[in-house]
Amino acid sequence: MELLNYAFMQRALLAAVLVGITAPAIGIYLVQRRQALMGDGIGHVAMTGVGLGFLLSWSPVWMATLVSVLGAVLMELIRWYGRTRGDIALAMLFYGGMAGGVMFINLAPTGSNANLTSYLFGSLSTVSQSDVTAICLLAAFVVLVTIGLRRQLFAVSQDEEFARVTGLPVRALNLLTAVTAAVTVTVAMRVVGLLLVSALMVVPVAAAQQLSRSFAATFAVAVAIGVTVTLSGTVTSYYQDVPPGATIVLLTIAAFLLLTALAAPLARRRARVLEHAGGDPAECVIPETGKETGRATVPAGRASRNGTEGIGA
Amino acid sequence: MSDEPATEPVISEPVISLRGVRAELGSRTVLRGIDLSVHRGEVVALLGANGSGKSTAIRSVIGQVPVSDGAIEIFGTPRARFSDWKRVGYVPQRTTAAGGVPATVTEVVASGRLSRARFGILRKADHEAVRRALALVGMADRAKDSVNALSGGQHQRVLIARALACEPELLIMDEPMAGVDLASQEVLAETLRKQVGEGTTVLLVLHELGPLEPLIDRAVVLRDGCVLHDGPPPKAVGQHALPGHDHVHPHAAPGAEPVRTGLLS
């Protein structure tokens, strides 16, 4: 493994593992609440952060974190109060964010569209030491939230109305989900890029669903797929000189197709096992005809009660 | 009303109390001054045609629908300050218990236990409560199955098990019998019978009394956001025992004091 001798590859591989863990970990809650494209929206908004970072000579990673967190909170507020006009407000936020990014980076003395491209599609050689520090800290936050609060986030994402009646702070948890998704976007930004990050949040979860029946198993399999594709994508990108973000996303889709192909025979086998078990006996109760014939020998009142029980029980 | 000296809570202090509750959804007024109280151990059915406001009334109690006027109390505490949610089990109106990601029956029911679990950590006793709730609705053998693989009636049984997982004193249910096959309806009626036998208070929205009829102590019929009838469940024969059936009952104009009968019983 000579690629481990290069410091930039060590950093890139570390970042790749962290992306492989964090993106599906928060993505599963977004898929569960049917907001699979939220990551994409946050990615657009984060571009303004990158542009501002260059313009103000700040760290683009931290600036992107700040701006995308603000954007995610704004999106959540629009979801509460926007109602009918909500989707139009979101569209303005997304494209405004993208346009702002292009504008700021061109205004910046050191910036150019070439810089922006490395943030849009990911780049291994440009992951700096300070980027790695930032990515580690942010990833730790994402893992802590998505695993530590898994039961609360599961309940809120599964059924918001019910979660409110269990006394959970639904709004705070929604905001936390949005903020965590925003943080994940900036974690993944250097490796897969802002425009492709949403794929890594959604596709591993979709692939894991093909095999799993439980939420816990879906979570574990999605993270395993995430780490596998980010690592193999990064290594492939090193040897073949192809862009890492695109390689990782294509590998993820390949994993999805593979698992879908595997899932069909598995589902058939499960269905057979279920058939053998006989299903739920309560589903089809046929009233016994024996009671009908016995009616003549028992008192009338008792017979009719038996009759109704036969149908209902 | 608030100027009156607070009376000592007597034995029959209402578990749920709505006084003059008004609510709007968008620009449409759905509730026009509802008075409703449910006492400890009572089983009260909210009946009415579609759009009469019965679901909105229930959702205003749990705080899902904001109230523009009137007062709601749960266990004697104003709703806005009520936080003791572990005493309340809620079954929302749903046709499915599934979300966007597969989940097992146990995982869904366990989320109903969160009101009793500190920091969302489930202990041994919590897992046992989840198992008990599943056994109550006859779903113990499906505990590890994905909810996606269940029938409509089984989904409803899972949703009710989720509400029972916190061992509530008060059950609030929004059309628990909607889209449920006959066999599951009987299981649900039996589950509810056991709960009521143990002293659980129940407020439920129903479209028709159906197999729950013998359990129900009192029926409140809504029409156009007003209480039309509050008293013993409407007794009628055969299929006409349905709330949607034209109910001949003298009542005041909308907005006036609703007719209240049977409250003293």
Side-chain angles (χ1 to χ4, degrees):
Chain A
M1 293 297 264
E2 46 112 350
L3 80 170
L4 283 178
N5 294 336
Y6 298 100
F8 84 91
M9 269 316 279
Q10 290 170 1
R11 290 196 296 266
L13 285 170
L14 177 60
V17 170
L18 294 177
V19 172
I21 295 170
T22 52
I26 186 65
I28 192 168
Y29 298 106
L30 299 182
V31 173
Q32 196 189 7
R33 48 205 297 160
R34 303 180 200 281
Q35 295 177 347
L37 289 177
M38 188 171 180
D40 198 49
I42 298 172
H44 285 53
V45 175
M47 283 175 68
T48 293
V50 172
L52 270 179
F54 274 100
L55 188 65
L56 305 174
S57 307
W58 264 45
S59 153
V61 173
W62 285 113
M63 203 63 200
T65 307
L66 189 71
V67 171
S68 57
V69 163
L70 287 176
V73 169
L74 202 59
M75 274 181 232
E76 203 43 47
L77 293 176
I78 289 171
R79 205 166 71 82
W80 290 345
Y81 301 110
R83 298 188 192 280
T84 48
R85 312 299 294 177
D87 56 336
I88 296 185
L90 286 181
M92 283 197 278
L93 187 66
F94 292 0
Y95 303 115
M98 199 145 93
V102 175
M103 186 58 80
F104 287 137
I105 207 152
N106 279 289
L107 290 177
T110 56
S112 71
N113 281 340
N115 295 100
L116 194 57
T117 307
S118 86
Y119 285 91
L120 289 183
F121 300 108
S123 156
L124 295 182
S125 54
T126 55
V127 180
S128 69
Q129 189 58 51
S130 65
D131 284 345
V132 168
T133 313
I135 289 173
C136 283
L137 287 173
L138 295 171
F141 167 77
V142 174
V143 169
L144 228 71
V145 168
T146 54
I147 294 180
L149 294 176
R150 65 188 182 284
R151 289 195 187 275
Q152 289 91 333
L153 293 178
F154 172 86
V156 170
S157 307
Q158 186 82 6
D159 190 336
E160 214 175 279
E161 188 178 343
F162 178 80
R164 186 161 287 128
V165 183
T166 59
L168 287 177
V170 171
R171 287 191 165 186
L173 287 168
N174 280 341
L175 275 180
L176 186 66
T177 308
V179 167
T180 310
V183 168
T184 309
V185 165
T186 48
V187 168
M189 175 172 75
R190 297 310 270 134
V191 179
V192 285
L194 289 173
L195 291 187
L196 294 173
V197 57
S198 191
L200 210 52
M201 290 182 170
V202 176
V203 184
V205 178
Q209 283 188 24
Q210 305 296 321
L211 297 179
S212 58
R213 282 180 296 177
S214 72
F215 186 83
T218 311
F219 191 105
V221 174
V223 168
I225 294 171
V227 172
T228 311
V229 294
T230 47
L231 273 183
S232 49
T234 308
V235 172
T236 311
S237 148
Y238 171 80
Y239 284 114
Q240 301 297 321
D241 195 25
V242 283
T247 315
I248 289 170
V249 170
L250 289 175
L251 279 174
T252 318
I253 291 171
F256 172 79
L257 294 176
L258 182 73
L259 290 183
T260 309
L262 281 177
L266 201 71
R268 269 201 297 279
R269 217 182 62 198
R270 263 182 202 157
R272 263 206 306 281
V273 171
L274 214 64
E275 243 170 70
H276 276 290
D280 188 344
E283 288 299 283
C284 47
V285 175
I286 300 156
E288 285 174 50
T289 46
K291 278 179 184 163
E292 300 280 351
T293 54
R295 183 172 286 180
T297 60
V298 288
R302 209 182 137 68
S304 66
R305 188 141 45 93
N306 277 349
T308 50
E309 273 169 13
I311 295 164
Chain B
M1 222 194 306
S2 54
D3 295 329
E4 285 175 17
T7 46
E8 274 299 302
V10 279
I11 303 151
S12 67
E13 171 207 330
V15 172
I16 297 178
S17 135
L18 280 75
R19 284 190 307 272
V21 167
R22 296 177 66 87
E24 282 97 34
L25 286 182
S27 55
R28 196 169 74 92
T29 304
V30 185
L31 301 180
R32 304 166 195 274
I34 299 265
D35 286 309
L36 170 69
S37 44
V38 180
H39 295 265
R40 194 168 292 279
E42 249 189 329
V43 181
V44 175
L46 263 180
L47 306 170
N50 287 333
S52 59
K54 53 193 193 311
S55 270
T56 309
I58 270 200
R59 288 158 59 101
S60 73
V61 172
I62 61 145
Q64 188 73 16
V65 170
V67 166
S68 56
D69 195 19
I72 298 176
E73 287 184 359
I74 310 178
F75 291 110
T77 310
R79 206 209 57 72
R81 281 197 283 120
F82 182 76
S83 60
D84 205 5
W85 290 108
K86 61 178 181 289
R87 301 171 78 180
V88 184
Y90 176 58
V91 181
Q93 191 177 3
R94 291 275 183 284
T95 52
T96 170
V101 172
T104 63
V105 169
T106 302
E107 283 174 326
V108 172
V109 174
S111 63
R113 188 69 189 176
L114 285 178
S115 51
R116 285 198 184 264
R118 288 200 108 200
F119 310 116
I121 298 160
L122 297 189
R123 290 165 212 285
K124 200 162 164 251
D126 298 313
H127 290 293
E128 267 159 23
V130 168
R131 268 197 292 278
R132 268 200 306 280
L134 277 172
L136 274 174
V137 298
M139 293 288 287
D141 54 330
R142 306 298 299 270
K144 288 195 160 65
D145 286 357
S146 169
V147 285
N148 298 63
L150 303 181
S151 73
Q154 289 170 333
H155 273 278
Q156 206 64 44
R157 280 149 77 176
V158 169
L159 293 177
I160 289 173
R162 182 176 69 173
L164 294 177
C166 67
E167 296 162 302
E169 295 164 52
L170 165 66
L171 256 182
I172 300 177
M173 303 197 275
D174 197 347
E175 300 231 14
M177 294 300 191
V180 173
D181 52 278
L182 200 67
S184 285
Q185 284 198 8
E186 285 296 330
V187 173
L188 294 183
E190 181 55 35
T191 307
L192 216 56
R193 195 163 16 242
K194 277 186 207 147
Q195 290 299 309
V196 172
E198 285 165 20
T200 309
T201 309
V202 182
L203 172 64
L204 75 173
V205 164
L206 283 179
H207 206 70
E208 55 181 64
L209 291 173
L212 296 181
E213 187 168 2
L215 286 174
I216 288 160
D217 299 317
R218 189 154 58 88
V220 175
V221 181
L222 300 186
R223 187 159 84 186
D224 285 334
C226 297
V227 175
L228 186 66
H229 167 99
D230 187 341
K235 285 268 189 291
V237 278
Q239 287 209 319
H240 296 282
L242 304 179
H245 173 70
D246 203 304
H247 198 85
V248 184
H249 197 293
H251 62 95
E257 267 292 290
V259 178
R260 305 182 76 165
T261 52
L263 260 184
L264 299 172
S265 61

